[in-house]
Amino acid sequence: MAGSPQQLTLLGATGSIGTQTLAVLALHPARYRVYALTAGSQWQALAAQCETWQPRYAVLADAQAALSLRNHLQALGSQTEVLAGEAALAQVAAADEVDTVVAAIVGAAGVRPTLAAVRAGKRVLLANKEALVVTGQLFMDAVTASGASLLPVDSEHNAIFQCLPACTPGQNARLAGVRKLLLTASGGPFRTFTAEQLATVTPEQAVRHPNWNMGPKISVDSATLMNKGLELIEACWLFSVPPSLIDVVVHPQSVLHSMVEYDDGSVLAQLGTPDMKTPIACALSWPERIDSGARRLDFTRLAGLDFEAPDETRFPCLRLAREAMQAGGTATAVLNAANEVAVAAFLDRRLDFPGIPVVVAETLARVAAPACTDVDAVMAVDAAARRVATAQLAART
């Protein structure tokens, strides 16, 4: 690549997407430089990354963790400056020196720093689907106003993006002759479980995804199909289509990552091994292509590709997400907040697996979800939903 290396801020460096992004960057040392690495509270993991990458800044959301990291790096003689808090996350996302921001913080915690990158007009690689789920139109309006480049990293949205050569994120896919967007779902580890079996599943079972290497929260969302519901909401905003133009298809092998059906009957699909380094590399280098380090797809070894409709009776989270998107306002922010609370309770063994959609549904029914014109108002709705969801958990004990 000609010219200077791209300066990159990685929001959520110690998570699954963050570590896999660094694995791709390591293959292209002349092409990218790491300006800042951020994490929540895992300062030891971030310390190891700082020793390897020597970023200008390291940021932790947790102030005590940041102090531990600062002391550790100073003892090593590192030149990396350690910052703490939400304002610091926004600072390194919007810094003038930064070309590209990988937004990989899990959950609503990633909303403000991702928006800071968008408002600064950065090239934003969006792996934090909650930023769009929570803020929706506000987020897309900020993209338009700043001229930021938005590139999806989620494997499904990246696949659709690659199958839409005449459409960039934010443009109406219908104008490109699109009839349907088809999101594929693996079905998760409990795809064939009965309702009785689902009542006894454990967190250890839920985080063992059959195909993908993901963090615990996303793995549980995949098991409930909430992850697919959040992706449906994200796709509505990315490609400017209503929920009625998006279908979900269960594809257990996770080889075909999503499809676009056109008005003339053509269906374009993107295929590859289930490895997040592929969409990460695609988004990093677009419109060029670079080596991702992912294992290559060998068609001669494929036993078959299977497809089926999702079961929204056993897995109602997908239906709840679609209904929240159709309801409008800040219903999707309520959905996301309640789900984050419920999943945390499940992982902490305070809620059974079938209780996750129950808590989400009850919270949606109890929290007002008006349209909001600023992020503070949206986050106030988020906070109200968390309070109600937490009260629901207390009432169940």
Side-chain angles (χ1 to χ4, degrees), residues 74-275:
Q74 285 177 348
L76 296 176
S78 172
Q79 297 301 305
T80 297
E81 183 176 348
V82 179
L83 306 175
E86 188 175 77
L89 291 171
Q91 174 187 326
V92 298
D96 290 342
E97 298 92 331
V98 172
D99 305 299
T100 299
V101 176
V102 180
I105 298 174
V106 175
V111 169
R112 292 186 188 274
T114 304
L115 268 172
V118 166
R119 287 169 172 161
K122 303 302 182 185
R123 180 182 173 100
V124 178
L125 277 54
L126 187 66
N128 169 252
K129 63 178 66 65
E130 290 86 356
L132 264 178
V133 169
V134 172
T135 61
Q137 191 65 58
L138 290 174
F139 188 96
M140 296 309 298
D141 286 347
V143 171
T144 300
S146 68
S149 298
L150 187 61
L151 295 162
V153 171
D154 267 345
S155 61
E156 295 81 2
H157 304 91
N158 186 266
I160 290 172
F161 170 71
Q162 293 189 58
C163 294
L164 280 172
C167 185
T168 59
Q171 292 180 329
N172 188 335
R174 280 294 297 148
L175 299 178
V178 170
R179 183 176 182 273
K180 282 277 186 180
L181 303 181
L182 298 104
L183 293 173
T184 56
S186 71
F190 310 134
R191 178 176 61 88
T192 61
F193 277 34
T194 64
E196 292 74 21
Q197 289 175 308
L198 289 174
T200 63
V201 302
T202 66
E204 290 79 11
Q205 290 174 300
V207 300
R208 289 198 296 266
H209 194 281
N211 300 330
W212 296 96
N213 176 24
M214 304 185 294
K217 195 270 181 182
I218 299 176
S219 295
V220 174
D221 282 348
S222 179
T224 64
L225 290 192
M226 180 59 88
N227 193 51
K228 206 53 50 181
L230 298 178
E231 288 174 0
L232 183 150
I233 295 166
E234 182 182 5
C236 288
W237 291 114
L238 282 174
F239 306 110
S240 191
V241 296
S244 60
L245 292 189
I246 301 176
D247 286 343
V248 173
V249 180
V250 174
H251 168 50
Q253 292 84 8
S254 297
V255 168
L256 194 156
H257 299 300
S258 276
M259 299 164 278
V260 175
E261 179 185 353
Y262 287 90
D263 288 332
D264 62 6
S266 299
V267 179
L268 301 187
Q270 187 265 335
L271 290 78
T273 56
D275 190 326

Side-chain angles (χ1 to χ4, degrees), residues 372-396:
C372 294
T373 57
D374 63 79
V375 176
D376 288 341
V378 174
M379 298 313 293
V381 172
D382 172 277
R386 290 173 192 274
R387 290 192 295 271
V388 171
T390 301
Q392 295 299 317
L393 290 173
R396 293 173 65 87

